Amino acid sequence: MNQPALTKVKRLEGVLSPVVTPFRKDYSPDAERFVRHCKWLLKNGCSGLAVFGTNSEANSLSVSEKRSLLEKLVSGGVPAASLMPGTGSCALPDTIELTRAAVELGCAGVLVLPPFYYKGVLDEGLYRSFAEVIERVGDERLQLYLYHIPPVSQIGFSLELIERLLKKYPGIVAGVKDSGGIWSNTKAMLDAFAKSGFDVFSGSEVFLLDNMRNGGKGCITATGNINPGAIDKLYRNWKGADADKLQAGITATRKIVQKQRMIPALKASIAHFGNDPQWKTCRPPLVELSSAEETTLISELKASGFTMPGLAG
Amino acid sequence: MNQPALTKVKRLEGVLSPVVTPFRKDYSPDAERFVRHCKWLLKNGCSGLAVFGTNSEANSLSVSEKRSLLEKLVSGGVPAASLMPGTGSCALPDTIELTRAAVELGCAGVLVLPPFYYKGVLDEGLYRSFAEVIERVGDERLQLYLYHIPPVSQIGFSLELIERLLKKYPGIVAGVKDSGGIWSNTKAMLDAFAKSGFDVFSGSEVFLLDNMRNGGKGCITATGNINPGAIDKLYRNWKGADADKLQAGITATRKIVQKQRMIPALKASIAHFGNDPQWKTCRPPLVELSSAEETTLISELKASGFTMPGLAG
């Protein structure tokens, strides 16, 4: 067993994938395929893995399923230092349990949704929620990233709330993933906090170049699951002369995928290019693509020259 | 130990309260106060208890906290046959675990939210989700009520989805709580399914009389926590000459309470009329009323002649 160091893990930067979670026919999580896909991602452009994100169907998994998968990733050879698992849920004890487990495994960070069942809650309540998580985990190794995704969670982080958390817990509140889809909001976070050691990741590669040009640290993006190499190429060359051209290329691929329902589309792509149909399974309430949707997706991807090198083994 | 019968428990009708959950100062659930309030409700007008509803902060509780509270209610003398716990959560295994526990304890039914993290999901996915719960619990005693509350969950039940579930699982799919706040939707459910043994509860006492006049079975309402007697009086006298007057009275009380944030307002009322300030505590992300809000609430309730007989012991 590797004993994680009692100091903070080096912060992640670059392209992170919110790794899709494979299921067996009976909807149970498939740790073996999960480890395999994580390793492919790290070999093909991802510098980190935001497992248990929205695209991972993470909120359809129980805490014990997530703990088990996390342990299997690490024991299966995925470095804990590459992991930024999502640990936020509606219930405070669940968030605390999974956050603590991640820190104890030596994960680089955790990406934490606000509690999302109650709508229209006060910032004071969200502040208390995050303060309770941080205090009860009570571990200086914790690096907590705020997961801002109002289109799904309906609850987000105001600049005032971020400021209050950052002031109270500097070094622990490490950054944000902004999946709100509104560049002006990402920009406002960058302008306000990037210089205070608050690492801003755009929630889509569509804003990767804008984010890097304004002091951001990379992106955590759904399509990182299937197109990590091209996205990473822009990340590494964002100061280069062809940066805008690289951006246009990855944006075009994204547009093909997001014409379909995103999560089943990612899974259909992995199933097709990896020659592994079991990947298509989604856990309810999500539903796999229809044959027609799948045919459209794959033919449009192929026509664009898209590939997933080495996936089929 | 009472061994629950292996037949279905008699279906609940009348006024059910989504019982507010008391917390200690450290935000841990307070089983003793919970049992006490449940007994007060059953003595003062509630025919059943929809514990672990929205107003119970149930989605802020872990599955193990809910299982423990449910066991303590039953061992503390609250009849399982009076209970309709909320058991729906985002993650399928959590919903299955809590539903199974409720059935095994002999609860009259379960009130099940759709999985609510993913937005805009297909009816097919919701159908699969409920089918998996029912099949995996695999117990003929199960009586499952659909919890329709789009203002909070954002995900609701279409008439087509209800029809499909009812056709596949007659006797198990037992009814609905409609907390959508739109009477025409409740009416459509009544018109379509009330005659097929599908029990419709309005999600607020504001629609109690309309619901009863159209074949409904009662209401499951937040303010049932503090005003069960008056609501029950209308339930028992809905055919009487003064029914509209009784309706106007309970609607007026509701309006006073819902000027404030509902859950902290219910807790502040119990704290005040029960002379037990610890009741005010809400678990994050919810926040108790401010002193000013509390003063307004209590003075308006008092001015209306509102009381909670026997609560202060």
Side-chain angles (χ1 to χ4, degrees):
Chain A
M1 282 291 289
N2 292 326
Q3 192 66 26
L6 285 170
T7 53
K8 285 185 195 284
V9 175
K10 186 173 181 298
R11 285 200 189 176
L12 292 169
E13 299 187 7
V15 180
L16 277 70
S17 172
V19 186
V20 285
T21 307
F23 294 103
R24 300 193 191 87
K25 278 190 174 53
D26 67 356
Y27 301 130
S28 62
D30 183 338
E32 200 192 315
R33 279 187 172 84
F34 194 44
V35 170
R36 211 186 312 146
H37 191 56
C38 284
K39 289 182 176 174
W40 183 84
L41 290 168
L42 290 175
K43 222 167 125 178
N44 285 276
C46 284
S47 52
L49 302 171
V51 296
F52 312 150
T54 297
N55 287 284
S56 316
E57 298 170 78
N59 290 103
S60 300
L61 300 171
S62 69
V63 172
S64 67
E65 287 177 325
K66 285 181 265 196
R67 288 188 66 165
S68 167
L69 281 174
L70 203 56
E71 284 159 14
K72 284 174 182 164
L73 282 183
V74 175
S75 66
V78 175
S82 72
L83 295 172
M84 187 196 287
T87 61
S89 68
C90 295
L92 199 52
D94 290 345
T95 304
I96 293 166
E97 179 183 343
L98 194 55
T99 300
R100 189 181 285 137
V103 173
E104 285 173 359
L105 270 172
C107 293
V110 291
L111 183 56
V112 186
L113 279 169
F116 52 84
Y117 182 68
Y118 294 100
K119 307 304 186 286
V121 296
L122 305 178
D123 268 6
E124 170 65 21
L126 294 175
Y127 175 81
R128 287 185 193 179
S129 182
F130 278 84
E132 286 295 317
V133 171
I134 292 168
E135 302 281 356
R136 292 188 190 218
V137 170
D139 193 315
E140 279 301 317
R141 291 172 295 177
L142 175 61
Q143 298 188 115
L144 186 153
Y145 296 80
L146 309 173
Y147 188 5
H148 182 73
I149 183 168
V152 184
S153 64
Q154 310 284 314
I155 299 292
F157 298 90
S158 67
L159 293 178
E160 294 72 21
L161 174 59
I162 297 173
E163 187 173 16
R164 191 174 167 198
L165 285 167
L166 202 51
K167 198 167 170 182
K168 176 79 179 181
Y169 301 108
I172 285 181
V173 175
V176 71
K177 174 187 181 190
D178 185 0
S179 296
I182 300 165
W183 167 248
S184 60
N185 187 64
T186 312
K187 178 75 161 58
M189 288 177 175
L190 286 161
D191 291 348
F193 309 118
K195 284 176 185 155
S196 320
F198 185 77
D199 293 351
V200 176
F201 291 85
S202 60
S204 157
E205 72 273 36
V206 169
F207 300 118
L208 176 56
L209 188 52
D210 287 331
N211 194 40
M212 297 310 298
R213 284 175 175 164
N214 287 275
K217 297 292 185 183
C219 66
I220 304 175
T221 181
T223 27
N225 272 288
I226 61 171
N227 199 27
I231 304 172
D232 181 58
K233 191 171 176 193
L234 170 58
Y235 171 72
R236 296 188 185 280
N237 296 284
W238 70 269
K239 289 180 180 168
D242 62 348
D244 286 287
K245 199 181 145 198
L246 292 171
Q247 178 68 68
I250 60 176
T251 297
T253 300
R254 169 108 187 175
K255 282 191 176 157
I256 292 171
V257 182
Q258 72 184 19
K259 275 189 216 172
Q260 310 295 336
R261 288 172 285 121
M262 178 61 85
I263 299 167
L266 296 171
K267 290 186 152 184
S269 304
I270 297 168
H272 177 84
F273 291 99
N275 195 22
D276 184 5
Q278 186 51 43
W279 258 105
K280 293 181 198 173
T281 302
C282 298
R283 185 178 268 194
L286 299 191
V287 175
E288 68 286 351
L289 297 189
S290 69
S291 304
E293 290 167 333
E294 198 182 313
T295 302
T296 304
L297 171 70
I298 301 301
S299 64
E300 290 185 9
L301 282 173
K302 281 184 174 168
S304 77
F306 175 86
T307 56
M308 292 182 74
L311 190 70
Chain B
M1 281 291 287
N2 292 326
Q3 194 65 25
L6 285 170
T7 53
K8 284 185 194 287
V9 175
K10 187 173 180 300
R11 286 199 190 177
L12 292 169
E13 300 187 7
V15 180
L16 277 71
S17 172
V19 187
V20 285
T21 306
F23 294 103
R24 301 192 190 88
K25 278 191 174 54
D26 67 356
Y27 301 130
S28 62
D30 182 337
E32 198 192 319
R33 277 187 173 84
F34 194 44
V35 171
R36 210 187 311 147
H37 190 56
C38 284
K39 289 183 176 174
W40 182 85
L41 290 168
L42 290 175
K43 223 167 123 178
N44 285 276
C46 284
S47 53
L49 302 171
V51 296
F52 311 150
T54 297
N55 288 284
S56 316
E57 298 170 77
N59 289 103
S60 301
L61 299 170
S62 68
V63 172
S64 67
E65 286 177 325
K66 285 182 265 197
R67 289 189 65 164
S68 166
L69 282 174
L70 203 55
E71 284 159 15
K72 284 175 182 163
L73 282 184
V74 175
S75 65
V78 175
S82 71
L83 295 171
M84 187 195 287
T87 62
S89 68
C90 295
L92 199 52
D94 290 346
T95 304
I96 292 166
E97 178 183 344
L98 194 55
T99 300
R100 188 181 285 138
V103 174
E104 285 173 359
L105 269 171
C107 293
V110 291
L111 183 56
V112 187
L113 278 169
F116 54 83
Y117 182 68
Y118 294 100
K119 306 304 186 287
V121 296
L122 305 177
D123 267 6
E124 171 65 22
L126 294 175
Y127 176 81
R128 288 185 194 178
S129 182
F130 279 84
E132 286 295 318
V133 171
I134 292 168
E135 302 281 356
R136 293 188 189 217
V137 170
D139 193 315
E140 279 301 316
R141 291 172 295 177
L142 175 61
Q143 299 188 114
L144 186 152
Y145 296 82
L146 309 172
Y147 188 6
H148 182 72
I149 183 169
V152 184
S153 65
Q154 309 283 313
I155 300 292
F157 298 88
S158 68
L159 293 178
E160 294 73 20
L161 174 59
I162 297 174
E163 187 173 16
R164 191 174 167 198
L165 286 167
L166 202 51
K167 198 168 169 183
K168 177 78 179 180
Y169 302 108
I172 285 181
V173 175
V176 70
K177 175 188 181 188
D178 186 359
S179 297
I182 301 166
W183 167 247
S184 60
N185 186 64
T186 311
K187 178 75 164 56
M189 288 177 175
L190 286 160
D191 292 348
F193 309 118
K195 284 174 187 156
S196 319
F198 185 76
D199 293 351
V200 177
F201 291 85
S202 59
S204 156
E205 72 273 36
V206 170
F207 300 118
L208 176 57
L209 188 52
D210 288 330
N211 193 42
M212 297 311 297
R213 284 175 175 163
N214 287 275
K217 297 293 185 183
C219 66
I220 304 176
T221 181
T223 28
N225 272 289
I226 61 171
N227 198 27
I231 304 172
D232 182 57
K233 192 172 176 191
L234 169 58
Y235 171 72
R236 296 188 184 280
N237 296 284
W238 70 268
K239 289 179 179 169
D242 59 348
D244 287 287
K245 200 180 144 198
L246 292 171
Q247 178 69 68
I250 61 176
T251 297
T253 301
R254 168 108 188 177
K255 282 190 176 158
I256 293 171
V257 181
Q258 71 185 18
K259 274 189 217 173
Q260 310 295 336
R261 288 172 283 122
M262 178 61 84
I263 300 167
L266 296 172
K267 290 187 151 183
S269 303
I270 297 168
H272 178 83
F273 292 99
N275 195 22
D276 184 5
Q278 185 52 42
W279 258 105
K280 294 182 200 173
T281 301
C282 297
R283 184 179 267 193
L286 299 191
V287 175
E288 68 286 350
L289 297 189
S290 69
S291 305
E293 290 168 331
E294 198 182 314
T295 302
T296 304
L297 171 70
I298 300 302
S299 64
E300 290 186 8
L301 282 173
K302 282 184 175 169
S304 76
F306 174 86
T307 56
M308 293 182 73
L311 189 70

